[in-house]
Amino acid sequence: MVSERLVLASKSAARRAMLEGAGVTFSIQVADVDEDAVKAVHDPADPSGLAVELARVKALAVSRRDPDAWVLGADQTLAFDGGLVSKARTMAEARARLQSMRGKAHQLHSGAALAHKGQVVWSGVDSVDMRMRAFSDTFLDAYLAAEGEVLLTSVGSYRLEGMGSQLFEAVDGDYFTVLGLPLWPVLAELRRAGVLAT
């Protein structure tokens, strides 16, 4: 009988769905952290490292409030055209971003960290190369209308789970990483920690 308690320090519906789909029992406590402050002191040339650092900061913030739980923090960064891309604030921004990435490649980096008793005990990152197809403005308009403002919650202004799959011609990497969590390494660590049965 597994008795360790897991807390997900994320409000991401995709991460919640991944863990639920894998049969993991957990509760949610959203980490209240200043992501901009973390980004300001991090090397912008290291987007994968930033994804891990944001995950670590979130896991620690919740672990300090709930030290007896195992806390999973996660975050994702998007590297495109030599820089980091942030979440769009408006649908107009989302449209412009998708137009700029059309026909080009970008990289997604999904970081995760596990904290216990106010200490990070594990962290990791996985990366995926994404190539968008040269979709038409007509398709883009239909996509934005179908998905709506939920796209503002995604760093790339797309969700691969649905119609967003039509934006791409190739994805080189793990599907779960695209959704925002390096699931296989996370599950391995949860087994090691005794949160999941071995």
Side-chain angles (χ1 to χ4, degrees):
M1 179 79 177
V2 175
S3 61
E4 297 291 343
R5 187 164 51 87
L6 176 66
V7 172
L8 174 62
S10 172
K11 61 184 176 183
S12 163
R15 293 186 186 107
R16 182 174 68 243
M18 277 187 273
L19 291 174
E20 288 173 347
V24 178
T25 300
F26 61 97
S27 61
I28 295 173
Q29 293 184 39
V30 178
D32 183 19
V33 301
D34 186 348
E35 292 188 27
D36 289 335
V38 176
K39 292 175 182 177
V41 298
H42 194 86
D43 180 1
D46 181 21
S48 64
L50 176 59
V52 174
E53 184 59 23
L54 287 166
R56 290 170 58 88
V57 168
K58 291 177 179 182
L60 277 174
V62 173
S63 184
R64 288 173 180 146
R65 292 196 313 248
D66 192 352
D68 292 331
W70 290 86
V71 180
L72 176 62
D75 211 305
Q76 188 175 60
T77 58
L78 189 156
F80 172 66
D81 200 23
L84 282 172
V85 173
S86 298
K87 290 177 183 174
R89 292 166 293 189
T90 65
M91 291 303 290
E93 265 187 39
R95 188 179 201 281
R97 174 156 309 144
L98 290 169
Q99 284 178 317
S100 71
M101 293 194 296
R102 174 169 48 192
K104 300 176 183 175
H106 64 270
Q107 294 75 43
L108 282 177
H109 307 280
S110 290
L114 195 61
H116 189 59
K117 299 190 182 301
Q119 299 289 325
V120 173
V121 296
W122 171 84
S123 62
V125 65
D126 191 40
S127 302
V128 179
D129 291 318
M130 315 278 293
R131 177 169 289 280
M132 285 193 173
R133 68 181 181 89
F135 48 81
S136 67
D137 283 343
T138 300
F139 174 81
L140 179 57
D141 290 341
Y143 176 63
L144 293 171
E147 293 288 335
E149 292 194 354
V150 70
L151 298 179
L152 303 183
T153 65
S154 166
V155 70
S157 300
Y158 58 78
R159 296 188 314 140
L160 204 65
E161 305 96 301
M163 192 176 171
S165 60
Q166 291 192 50
L167 293 168
F168 294 89
E169 64 181 28
V171 175
D172 184 12
D174 186 79
Y175 178 70
F176 294 117
T177 296
V178 177
L179 301 186
L181 191 67
L183 185 62
W184 308 122
V186 165
L187 294 176
E189 284 304 312
L190 293 177
R191 287 190 292 269
R192 183 196 60 75
V195 176
L196 297 178
T198 57

